[in-house]
Amino acid sequence: MEVDRKTESKLKRELIVWLVTAGKDLKPQSVPVWFLWTDGSFLIYAQDGVKVRHIRENPNVELHLDTDEAGDIVVRASGEATIAKETKPDPAYVRKYRSAIKNLGMSVDGFFETYHNPIVVRRLRFH
């Protein structure tokens, strides 16, 4: 899966992606989440809850980035999500969000104790 230069730049630069999941009932839920674009996949950390339950019930997800002011760069992707077994925090994710985690009043360790479900989205198709 190849993405063009503008899309790759946006994926590396943005802080929020909208993750759309649906459980057995197939009712979609869209939520903004922090993410890391790495090795052609999305890495998202989640606490226990609806996102994790949905992914276990139905691994098909959609991801959307906000557009620029003019709406010129639209990034939409569909893929397959899994809850990774490795729960060790990704160092690049920590670097990207360290100050945001601190702004939440949390330590990095505290964040990953709460958001201990690493979601990896692969087999991406960009639209």
Side-chain angles (χ1 to χ4, degrees), residues 19-116:
L19 174 66
V20 183
T21 62
K24 285 188 252 183
D25 63 4
L26 300 180
K27 291 181 181 176
Q29 177 182 347
S30 179
V31 293
V33 294
W34 291 347
F35 74 101
L36 182 66
W37 173 249
T38 181
D39 299 325
S41 64
F42 289 89
L43 173 62
I44 299 161
Y45 287 91
Q47 58 188 329
D48 295 331
V50 174
K51 285 187 291 287
V52 171
R53 188 178 73 245
H54 278 184
I55 288 167
R56 288 191 173 123
E57 294 172 355
N58 176 6
N60 301 304
V61 300
E62 295 276 333
L63 300 127
H64 309 162
L65 292 178
D66 289 339
T67 65
D68 60 358
E69 287 182 18
D72 290 334
I73 302 174
V74 176
V75 179
R76 289 182 44 234
S78 56
E80 187 176 304
T82 57
I83 309 298
K85 293 186 188 334
E86 175 62 47
T87 59
K88 200 161 112 180
D90 184 286
Y93 186 98
V94 173
R95 280 191 303 277
K96 183 176 181 180
Y97 292 106
R98 183 181 305 276
S99 64
I101 290 168
K102 194 174 186 178
N103 287 341
L104 289 175
M106 299 178 86
S107 68
V108 169
D109 289 341
F111 177 85
F112 287 103
E113 284 173 19
T114 302
Y115 294 85
H116 59 265

XYZ file of all heavy atoms in Angstrom, residues 19-116:
777
model
N -11.471 7.553 14.245
C -11.578 6.108 14.132
C -13.055 5.729 14.160
O -13.770 6.101 15.085
C -10.844 5.430 15.295
C -10.986 3.912 15.413
C -10.326 3.208 14.232
C -10.400 3.429 16.737
N -13.485 5.011 13.140
C -14.873 4.559 13.054
C -14.885 3.046 13.239
O -14.249 2.317 12.473
C -15.524 4.934 11.711
C -16.989 4.521 11.688
C -15.375 6.430 11.434
N -15.603 2.599 14.265
C -15.746 1.176 14.547
C -17.222 0.823 14.564
O -18.088 1.703 14.675
C -15.142 0.811 15.926
O -15.857 1.519 16.952
C -13.666 1.146 15.985
N -17.511 -0.460 14.484
C -18.881 -0.956 14.632
C -18.795 -2.356 15.218
O -17.969 -3.163 14.790
C -19.609 -0.981 13.289
N -19.638 -2.615 16.177
C -19.665 -3.936 16.797
C -20.583 -4.876 16.057
O -20.892 -4.687 14.871
N -21.072 -5.886 16.753
C -21.983 -6.866 16.150
C -23.254 -6.215 15.619
O -23.830 -6.686 14.644
C -22.361 -7.933 17.180
C -21.274 -8.924 17.467
C -21.799 -10.048 18.345
C -21.223 -9.907 19.724
N -21.602 -10.957 20.642
N -23.679 -5.132 16.258
C -24.916 -4.466 15.831
C -24.727 -3.633 14.564
O -25.682 -3.113 14.008
C -25.472 -3.594 16.957
C -24.546 -2.442 17.351
O -23.488 -2.249 16.718
O -24.886 -1.746 18.327
N -23.488 -3.482 14.119
C -23.110 -2.739 12.907
C -23.443 -1.254 12.963
O -23.442 -0.579 11.934
C -23.712 -3.381 11.655
C -23.283 -4.830 11.397
C -23.935 -5.354 10.123
C -21.775 -4.959 11.335
N -23.697 -0.713 14.152
C -23.928 0.724 14.296
C -22.572 1.400 14.422
O -21.826 1.151 15.376
C -24.785 1.018 15.522
C -26.204 0.544 15.383
C -27.010 0.891 16.608
C -28.430 0.380 16.461
N -29.210 0.611 17.678
N -22.222 2.286 13.487
C -20.899 2.914 13.521
C -20.764 3.920 14.660
O -21.723 4.579 15.047
C -20.790 3.614 12.171
C -22.189 3.792 11.712
C -23.012 2.714 12.340
N -19.554 3.991 15.179
C -19.206 4.984 16.191
C -17.905 5.630 15.749
O -16.914 4.953 15.502
C -19.026 4.341 17.555
C -18.592 5.350 18.591
C -18.358 4.722 19.956
O -18.721 3.597 20.219
N -17.721 5.481 20.830
N -17.899 6.944 15.665
C -16.721 7.699 15.245
C -16.176 8.484 16.425
O -16.925 9.224 17.059
C -17.119 8.654 14.106
O -16.021 9.408 13.697
N -14.875 8.304 16.706
C -14.259 9.017 17.818
C -12.880 9.528 17.414
O -12.166 8.870 16.654
C -14.132 8.141 19.083
C -15.484 7.801 19.656
C -13.349 6.885 18.809
N -12.496 10.710 17.903
C -11.145 11.198 17.650
C -10.161 10.498 18.578
O -10.439 10.320 19.768
C -11.248 12.693 17.960
C -12.353 12.791 18.967
C -13.302 11.667 18.664
N -9.028 10.075 18.013
C -8.008 9.374 18.803
C -6.622 9.845 18.386
O -6.408 10.301 17.268
C -8.110 7.834 18.644
C -9.405 7.294 19.222
C -7.942 7.415 17.192
N -5.676 9.706 19.315
C -4.271 9.931 18.989
C -3.771 8.715 18.225
O -4.252 7.593 18.445
C -3.456 10.089 20.258
C -3.725 11.336 21.041
C -4.414 12.441 20.630
C -3.295 11.600 22.370
N -4.432 13.379 21.628
C -3.746 12.881 22.712
C -2.578 10.877 23.306
C -3.506 13.468 23.946
C -2.329 11.456 24.545
C -2.791 12.736 24.855
N -2.796 8.924 17.348
C -2.300 7.821 16.534
C -0.854 8.045 16.139
O -0.346 9.161 16.153
C -3.149 7.670 15.267
C -2.881 8.742 14.247
C -2.067 8.483 13.153
C -3.405 10.014 14.380
C -1.796 9.472 12.217
C -3.150 11.006 13.447
C -2.330 10.737 12.360
N -0.236 6.973 15.755
C 1.103 7.020 15.176
C 1.036 6.299 13.842
O 0.532 5.167 13.766
C 2.109 6.320 16.097
C 3.561 6.344 15.622
C 4.121 7.766 15.625
C 4.409 5.437 16.504
N 1.485 6.959 12.792
C 1.584 6.357 11.472
C 2.992 5.769 11.378
O 3.974 6.484 11.442
C 1.356 7.419 10.397
C 1.605 6.954 9.003
C 2.626 7.346 8.179
C 0.834 6.026 8.246
N 2.533 6.719 6.963
C 1.440 5.895 6.987
C -0.309 5.270 8.517
C 0.933 5.057 5.990
C -0.809 4.437 7.535
C -0.196 4.347 6.291
N 3.085 4.452 11.288
C 4.380 3.796 11.292
C 4.346 2.523 10.459
O 3.405 1.731 10.584
C 4.847 3.503 12.739
O 6.117 2.882 12.710
C 3.879 2.634 13.506
N 5.338 2.357 9.619
C 5.459 1.140 8.797
C 4.179 0.821 8.022
O 3.776 -0.337 7.920
C 5.857 -0.057 9.662
C 7.201 0.134 10.338
O 8.089 0.758 9.721
O 7.362 -0.323 11.480
N 3.510 1.853 7.528
C 2.303 1.640 6.722
C 1.089 1.196 7.507
O 0.157 0.622 6.948
N 1.082 1.475 8.815
C -0.078 1.118 9.634
C -0.325 2.216 10.672
O 0.524 3.069 10.917
C 0.135 -0.231 10.326
O 1.211 -0.157 11.230
N -1.498 2.177 11.262
C -1.865 3.098 12.338
C -1.710 2.373 13.670
O -2.106 1.214 13.797
C -3.333 3.531 12.210
C -3.609 4.449 11.067
C -3.930 3.949 9.816
C -3.569 5.823 11.230
C -4.206 4.788 8.754
C -3.839 6.686 10.174
C -4.164 6.163 8.934
N -1.145 3.070 14.652
C -1.060 2.563 16.020
C -1.846 3.517 16.905
O -1.593 4.727 16.911
C 0.395 2.482 16.494
C 0.605 2.133 17.961
C 0.043 0.749 18.295
C 2.086 2.231 18.319
N -2.801 2.970 17.633
C -3.690 3.737 18.505
C -3.726 3.016 19.850
O -3.809 1.786 19.884
C -5.115 3.790 17.906
C -5.092 4.477 16.540
C -6.102 4.430 18.871
C -6.298 4.182 15.678
N -3.665 3.747 20.945
C -3.803 3.130 22.264
C -5.179 3.476 22.809
O -5.623 4.626 22.724
C -2.716 3.620 23.218
C -1.359 3.046 22.892
C -0.493 3.708 22.038
C -0.959 1.826 23.424
C 0.746 3.179 21.721
C 0.282 1.292 23.114
C 1.129 1.971 22.267
O 2.356 1.437 21.955
N -5.863 2.479 23.374
C -7.222 2.689 23.880
C -7.364 2.087 25.271
O -6.714 1.096 25.605
C -8.239 2.043 22.941
N -8.246 2.706 26.044
C -8.608 2.114 27.318
C -9.661 1.033 27.059
O -10.193 0.928 25.954
C -9.113 3.178 28.279
C -10.307 3.963 27.803
C -10.616 5.123 28.734
O -10.376 5.065 29.923
N -11.159 6.187 28.189
N -9.952 0.221 28.058
C -11.024 -0.755 27.913
C -12.313 0.005 27.635
O -12.550 1.062 28.202
C -11.178 -1.579 29.204
C -9.961 -2.435 29.491
O -9.277 -2.846 28.534
O -9.697 -2.702 30.672
N -13.140 -0.505 26.747
C -14.397 0.163 26.445
C -14.924 -0.200 25.074
O -14.575 -1.238 24.501
N -15.752 0.679 24.539
C -16.476 0.420 23.302
C -15.539 0.165 22.118
O -15.747 -0.786 21.360
C -17.448 1.586 22.985
C -18.099 1.410 21.631
C -18.502 1.697 24.066
N -14.506 0.991 21.944
C -13.601 0.793 20.788
C -13.004 -0.609 20.789
O -13.009 -1.293 19.776
C -12.464 1.822 20.804
C -12.847 3.211 20.404
C -11.640 4.102 20.277
C -10.943 4.421 21.546
N -11.571 5.337 22.455
N -12.503 -1.013 21.927
C -11.867 -2.329 22.036
C -12.899 -3.436 21.814
O -12.644 -4.396 21.081
C -11.157 -2.460 23.398
C -10.677 -3.879 23.637
C -9.994 -1.476 23.474
N -14.054 -3.309 22.430
C -15.114 -4.311 22.244
C -15.522 -4.403 20.776
O -15.639 -5.497 20.221
C -16.317 -3.988 23.130
C -17.365 -5.108 23.109
C -18.547 -4.840 24.022
N -19.394 -3.802 23.453
C -19.610 -2.605 23.991
N -19.050 -2.267 25.130
N -20.393 -1.725 23.401
N -15.722 -3.252 20.140
C -16.103 -3.256 18.726
C -15.061 -3.973 17.869
O -15.403 -4.774 17.004
C -16.274 -1.825 18.209
C -17.596 -1.232 18.519
N -17.963 0.013 18.056
C -18.654 -1.676 19.231
C -19.181 0.295 18.475
N -19.619 -0.717 19.195
N -13.801 -3.665 18.090
C -12.739 -4.263 17.268
C -12.676 -5.769 17.474
O -12.451 -6.520 16.531
C -11.395 -3.566 17.543
C -11.440 -2.162 16.932
C -10.223 -4.378 16.995
C -10.339 -1.247 17.366
N -12.903 -6.220 18.680
C -12.928 -7.673 18.921
C -14.122 -8.323 18.225
O -14.050 -9.456 17.776
C -12.941 -7.961 20.417
C -11.597 -7.669 21.045
C -11.470 -8.191 22.459
N -10.100 -8.024 22.913
C -9.752 -7.355 24.002
N -10.673 -6.805 24.773
N -8.481 -7.251 24.323
N -15.238 -7.606 18.123
C -16.435 -8.134 17.472
C -16.389 -7.992 15.952
O -16.963 -8.812 15.233
C -17.682 -7.411 18.008
C -17.962 -7.681 19.461
C -19.080 -6.821 20.037
O -19.611 -5.924 19.334
O -19.411 -7.042 21.207
N -15.733 -6.931 15.481
C -15.726 -6.622 14.049
C -14.454 -5.830 13.750
O -14.384 -4.644 14.045
C -16.974 -5.798 13.704
C -17.001 -5.348 12.257
O -16.159 -5.731 11.453
N -17.972 -4.524 11.922
N -13.443 -6.447 13.151
C -12.161 -5.769 12.956
C -12.136 -4.724 11.839
O -11.147 -4.011 11.697
C -11.208 -6.926 12.634
C -12.079 -7.944 11.989
C -13.408 -7.835 12.692
N -13.205 -4.598 11.085
C -13.236 -3.632 9.978
C -13.458 -2.222 10.513
O -14.432 -1.968 11.219
C -14.333 -3.994 8.983
C -14.115 -5.371 8.415
O -13.059 -5.653 7.848
N -15.080 -6.251 8.588
N -12.535 -1.318 10.176
C -12.608 0.058 10.667
C -12.382 1.039 9.525
O -11.890 0.669 8.462
C -11.569 0.326 11.791
C -11.804 -0.590 12.976
C -10.153 0.189 11.278
N -12.748 2.270 9.778
C -12.463 3.395 8.889
C -11.674 4.417 9.689
O -11.850 4.542 10.904
C -13.757 4.044 8.388
C -14.610 3.179 7.503
C -14.174 3.203 6.056
O -13.587 4.216 5.613
O -14.414 2.203 5.362
N -10.810 5.150 9.003
C -10.025 6.220 9.618
C -10.104 7.445 8.726
O -9.993 7.325 7.500
C -8.569 5.781 9.775
C -8.398 4.539 10.639
C -7.596 3.501 9.911
C -7.776 4.901 11.944
N -10.305 8.601 9.337
C -10.425 9.853 8.589
C -9.619 10.930 9.295
O -9.706 11.071 10.506
C -11.879 10.338 8.533
C -12.856 9.316 8.073
N -14.189 9.444 8.291
C -12.707 8.149 7.413
C -14.832 8.409 7.787
N -13.941 7.604 7.260
N -8.866 11.692 8.517
C -8.189 12.873 9.055
C -9.018 14.095 8.717
O -9.732 14.121 7.703
C -6.797 13.041 8.431
C -5.755 12.004 8.786
C -4.462 12.301 8.050
C -5.495 11.964 10.279
N -8.917 15.124 9.549
C -9.550 16.397 9.197
C -8.853 16.946 7.957
O -7.659 16.720 7.744
C -9.422 17.397 10.348
C -10.300 17.033 11.531
O -11.282 16.288 11.356
O -10.002 17.494 12.645
N -9.577 17.683 7.143
C -8.988 18.291 5.950
C -8.306 19.605 6.326
O -8.478 20.108 7.438
C -10.049 18.601 4.883
O -10.941 19.593 5.397
C -10.832 17.362 4.494
N -7.573 20.171 5.372
C -7.063 21.523 5.563
C -8.238 22.489 5.402
O -9.366 22.068 5.112
C -5.923 21.821 4.582
C -6.346 21.712 3.128
O -7.518 21.365 2.848
O -5.509 21.983 2.265
N -8.007 23.778 5.598
C -9.103 24.760 5.555
C -9.859 24.748 4.236
O -11.062 24.945 4.200
C -8.561 26.161 5.830
C -8.190 26.370 7.278
C -7.695 27.773 7.552
O -7.933 28.684 6.744
O -7.052 27.948 8.599
N -9.158 24.506 3.140
C -9.800 24.511 1.830
C -10.401 23.155 1.471
O -11.103 23.038 0.473
C -8.780 24.916 0.761
N -10.129 22.140 2.272
C -10.644 20.809 1.975
C -9.892 20.128 0.844
O -10.415 19.223 0.204
N -8.655 20.582 0.597
C -7.885 20.050 -0.529
C -7.323 18.656 -0.280
O -7.269 17.840 -1.186
C -6.719 20.986 -0.876
C -7.196 22.286 -1.498
O -8.279 22.296 -2.108
O -6.477 23.295 -1.347
N -6.868 18.392 0.923
C -6.254 17.092 1.200
C -7.217 16.280 2.065
O -7.411 16.562 3.239
C -4.895 17.248 1.916
C -3.943 18.082 1.070
C -4.291 15.882 2.200
C -2.630 18.402 1.757
N -7.820 15.288 1.447
C -8.758 14.417 2.139
C -8.072 13.066 2.321
O -7.610 12.470 1.352
C -10.064 14.242 1.337
C -10.998 13.260 2.031
C -10.741 15.595 1.134
N -7.994 12.616 3.562
C -7.382 11.317 3.848
C -8.431 10.440 4.519
O -8.888 10.734 5.619
C -6.133 11.452 4.744
C -5.547 10.075 5.043
C -5.091 12.351 4.093
N -8.811 9.380 3.806
C -9.755 8.378 4.311
C -9.164 7.016 4.028
O -8.650 6.777 2.941
C -11.102 8.473 3.596
C -11.926 9.672 3.934
C -13.282 9.658 3.193
N -13.911 8.345 3.218
C -14.318 7.708 2.106
N -14.165 8.221 0.921
N -14.897 6.515 2.205
N -9.268 6.137 4.991
C -8.748 4.781 4.793
C -9.657 3.780 5.486
O -10.296 4.089 6.488
C -7.337 4.667 5.351
N -9.708 2.599 4.931
C -10.367 1.482 5.605
C -9.305 0.424 5.846
O -8.318 0.341 5.116
C -11.522 0.938 4.770
O -11.073 0.575 3.484
N -9.492 -0.347 6.901
C -8.505 -1.360 7.214
C -9.013 -2.360 8.223
O -10.184 -2.342 8.613
N -8.094 -3.220 8.645
C -8.412 -4.261 9.605
C -7.647 -3.993 10.898
O -6.423 -3.889 10.885
C -8.014 -5.616 9.026
C -8.451 -6.779 9.869
C -8.126 -8.091 9.193
O -8.566 -8.294 8.047
O -7.420 -8.898 9.825
N -8.383 -3.893 11.985
C -7.789 -3.572 13.283
C -7.643 -4.830 14.135
O -8.496 -5.721 14.099
C -8.658 -2.560 14.021
N -6.560 -4.864 14.884
C -6.357 -5.924 15.865
C -5.878 -5.288 17.154
O -5.295 -4.207 17.142
C -5.304 -6.954 15.397
O -4.085 -6.272 15.122
C -5.759 -7.715 14.174
N -6.121 -5.961 18.256
C -5.572 -5.543 19.540
C -4.262 -6.319 19.688
O -4.264 -7.551 19.761
C -6.518 -5.882 20.717
C -7.936 -5.370 20.470
C -5.937 -5.343 22.023
C -8.090 -3.888 20.318
N -3.158 -5.594 19.680
C -1.846 -6.236 19.732
C -1.594 -6.839 21.105
O -2.074 -6.329 22.116
C -0.755 -5.226 19.385
N -0.828 -7.899 21.130
C -0.472 -8.536 22.406
C 0.615 -7.747 23.133
O 0.657 -7.706 24.339
C -0.016 -9.961 22.156
C -1.139 -10.852 21.654
C -0.694 -12.268 21.565
C -1.640 -13.222 20.918
N -2.994 -13.035 20.875
N 1.497 -7.110 22.369
C 2.592 -6.302 22.950
C 2.006 -5.040 23.560
O 1.390 -4.236 22.877
C 3.608 -5.940 21.873
C 4.712 -5.019 22.330
C 5.588 -5.603 23.419
O 6.010 -6.754 23.286
O 5.836 -4.889 24.409
N 2.182 -4.878 24.851
C 1.612 -3.709 25.523
C 2.671 -2.684 25.908
O 2.353 -1.676 26.526
C 0.819 -4.123 26.777
O 1.696 -4.811 27.657
C -0.370 -4.999 26.421
N 3.921 -2.944 25.546
C 4.987 -1.984 25.842
C 4.776 -0.730 24.989
O 4.574 -0.839 23.783
C 6.328 -2.640 25.516
C 7.496 -1.993 26.193
C 8.654 -2.959 26.201
C 9.746 -2.429 25.293
N 10.896 -3.303 25.237
N 4.812 0.463 25.581
C 4.580 1.689 24.819
C 5.592 1.869 23.683
O 6.784 1.634 23.858
C 4.749 2.794 25.864
C 4.519 2.128 27.167
C 5.007 0.725 27.002
N 5.099 2.283 22.536
C 5.972 2.563 21.398
C 6.716 3.875 21.672
O 6.085 4.902 21.938
C 5.128 2.680 20.128
C 5.962 2.873 18.903
O 6.495 4.007 18.726
O 6.099 1.930 18.112
N 8.055 3.873 21.607
C 8.831 5.086 21.905
C 8.481 6.275 21.001
O 8.462 7.412 21.467
C 10.281 4.656 21.696
C 10.276 3.167 21.827
C 8.925 2.717 21.346
N 8.194 6.030 19.736
C 7.838 7.133 18.829
C 6.489 7.736 19.220
O 6.293 8.952 19.138
C 7.812 6.650 17.378
N 5.557 6.913 19.655
C 4.260 7.397 20.132
C 4.465 8.260 21.371
O 3.878 9.336 21.484
C 3.348 6.208 20.438
C 1.927 6.572 20.795
C 0.922 6.514 19.839
C 1.576 6.965 22.084
C -0.397 6.836 20.163
C 0.278 7.282 22.414
C -0.704 7.219 21.456
O -1.995 7.547 21.774
N 5.312 7.800 22.278
C 5.602 8.567 23.505
C 6.205 9.923 23.140
O 5.803 10.958 23.691
C 6.531 7.778 24.453
C 6.962 8.640 25.634
C 5.846 6.507 24.933
N 7.164 9.941 22.213
C 7.769 11.223 21.797
C 6.723 12.164 21.213
O 6.709 13.360 21.498
C 8.874 10.985 20.754
C 10.188 10.557 21.338
C 11.313 10.596 20.327
N 11.080 9.795 19.136
C 11.303 8.485 19.049
N 11.769 7.819 20.092
N 11.079 7.849 17.914
N 5.830 11.624 20.387
C 4.816 12.450 19.719
C 3.834 13.064 20.719
O 3.429 14.217 20.563
C 4.057 11.601 18.691
C 3.038 12.366 17.883
C 2.402 11.488 16.809
C 1.387 12.258 15.983
N 0.758 11.426 14.946
N 3.453 12.318 21.755
C 2.373 12.757 22.647
C 2.796 13.050 24.088
O 1.936 13.332 24.924
C 1.247 11.710 22.650
C 0.538 11.655 21.321
C 0.748 10.597 20.446
C -0.316 12.677 20.922
C 0.118 10.557 19.219
C -0.952 12.650 19.698
C -0.734 11.583 18.849
O -1.357 11.548 17.634
N 4.096 13.030 24.369
C 4.552 13.246 25.750
C 3.965 14.521 26.359
O 3.419 14.500 27.461
C 6.078 13.292 25.818
C 6.604 13.448 27.250
C 8.120 13.507 27.309
N 8.768 12.381 26.692
C 9.005 11.206 27.282
N 8.605 11.022 28.519
N 9.614 10.250 26.636
N 4.039 15.643 25.650
C 3.538 16.896 26.235
C 2.013 16.884 26.350
O 1.459 17.424 27.311
C 4.022 18.111 25.442
O 3.494 18.098 24.145
N 1.324 16.244 25.419
C -0.138 16.158 25.493
C -0.562 15.286 26.677
O -1.537 15.595 27.365
C -0.698 15.601 24.189
N 0.178 14.207 26.915
C -0.102 13.348 28.059
C 0.084 14.146 29.352
O -0.751 14.102 30.258
C 0.802 12.100 28.041
C 0.401 11.175 26.889
C 0.742 11.360 29.379
C 1.391 10.059 26.597
N 1.173 14.919 29.408
C 1.442 15.754 30.577
C 0.324 16.787 30.772
O -0.103 17.048 31.892
C 2.794 16.450 30.404
C 3.330 17.073 31.647
C 4.727 17.610 31.420
C 5.329 18.095 32.704
N 6.695 18.567 32.533
N -0.173 17.360 29.650
C -1.268 18.335 29.725
C -2.557 17.724 30.259
O -3.427 18.442 30.750
C -1.521 18.975 28.364
C -0.428 19.948 27.979
O 0.330 20.420 28.828
N -0.317 20.232 26.693
N -2.693 16.399 30.150
C -3.852 15.717 30.729
C -3.700 15.525 32.233
O -4.605 15.030 32.898
C -4.027 14.329 30.086
C -4.502 14.271 28.653
C -4.491 12.818 28.164
C -5.881 14.879 28.501
N -2.515 15.882 32.755
C -2.239 15.687 34.165
C -1.826 14.259 34.471
O -1.965 13.802 35.609
N -1.327 13.564 33.448
C -0.937 12.170 33.617
C 0.560 12.018 33.386
O 1.155 12.793 32.638
C -1.675 11.266 32.614
C -3.176 11.260 32.738
S -3.949 10.217 31.486
C -3.885 8.634 32.321
N 1.128 11.001 33.978
C 2.498 10.613 33.643
C 2.414 9.666 32.445
O 1.341 9.117 32.147
C 3.156 9.890 34.818
O 2.528 8.636 35.028
N 3.527 9.462 31.768
C 3.550 8.520 30.644
C 3.157 7.130 31.145
O 2.336 6.450 30.522
C 4.936 8.512 29.959
C 5.062 7.361 28.979
C 5.177 9.846 29.254
N 3.718 6.712 32.277
C 3.372 5.396 32.824
C 1.884 5.306 33.154
O 1.236 4.298 32.851
C 4.202 5.092 34.076
C 5.661 4.823 33.754
O 5.980 4.506 32.589
O 6.494 4.939 34.684
N 1.353 6.361 33.753
C -0.073 6.387 34.090
C -0.955 6.319 32.856
O -1.998 5.647 32.857
N -0.540 7.025 31.789
C -1.302 6.991 30.550
C -1.398 5.564 30.019
O -2.476 5.084 29.673
C -0.648 7.909 29.498
C -1.344 7.878 28.173
C -2.441 8.685 27.927
C -0.899 7.035 27.154
C -3.093 8.645 26.700
C -1.534 6.996 25.932
C -2.641 7.804 25.706
N -0.254 4.871 29.970
C -0.244 3.532 29.398
C -0.833 2.474 30.334
O -1.184 1.392 29.884
C 1.156 3.154 28.909
C 1.504 3.890 27.645
C 2.353 4.983 27.674
C 0.951 3.525 26.431
C 2.656 5.679 26.522
C 1.238 4.218 25.267
C 2.094 5.293 25.310
N -0.971 2.795 31.611
C -1.724 1.909 32.502
C -3.211 1.982 32.158
O -3.924 0.985 32.220
C -1.502 2.293 33.964
C -0.162 1.872 34.504
C 0.101 2.408 35.902
O -0.859 2.795 36.610
O 1.287 2.457 36.283
N -3.672 3.178 31.812
C -5.083 3.375 31.457
C -5.352 2.969 30.012
O -6.317 2.266 29.726
C -5.484 4.849 31.665
O -5.240 5.198 33.029
C -6.946 5.084 31.324
N -4.508 3.432 29.089
C -4.674 3.165 27.655
C -3.743 2.006 27.277
O -2.771 2.182 26.557
C -4.369 4.425 26.854
C -5.364 5.523 27.113
C -5.209 6.391 28.195
C -6.481 5.681 26.307
C -6.135 7.387 28.454
C -7.411 6.671 26.557
C -7.238 7.522 27.633
O -8.163 8.501 27.892
N -4.069 0.824 27.770
C -3.173 -0.319 27.655
C -3.518 -1.276 26.515
O -2.938 -2.350 26.415
C -3.134 -1.094 28.985
C -4.485 -1.589 29.412
N -5.265 -0.885 30.280
C -5.185 -2.686 29.069
C -6.393 -1.535 30.460
N -6.373 -2.633 29.735
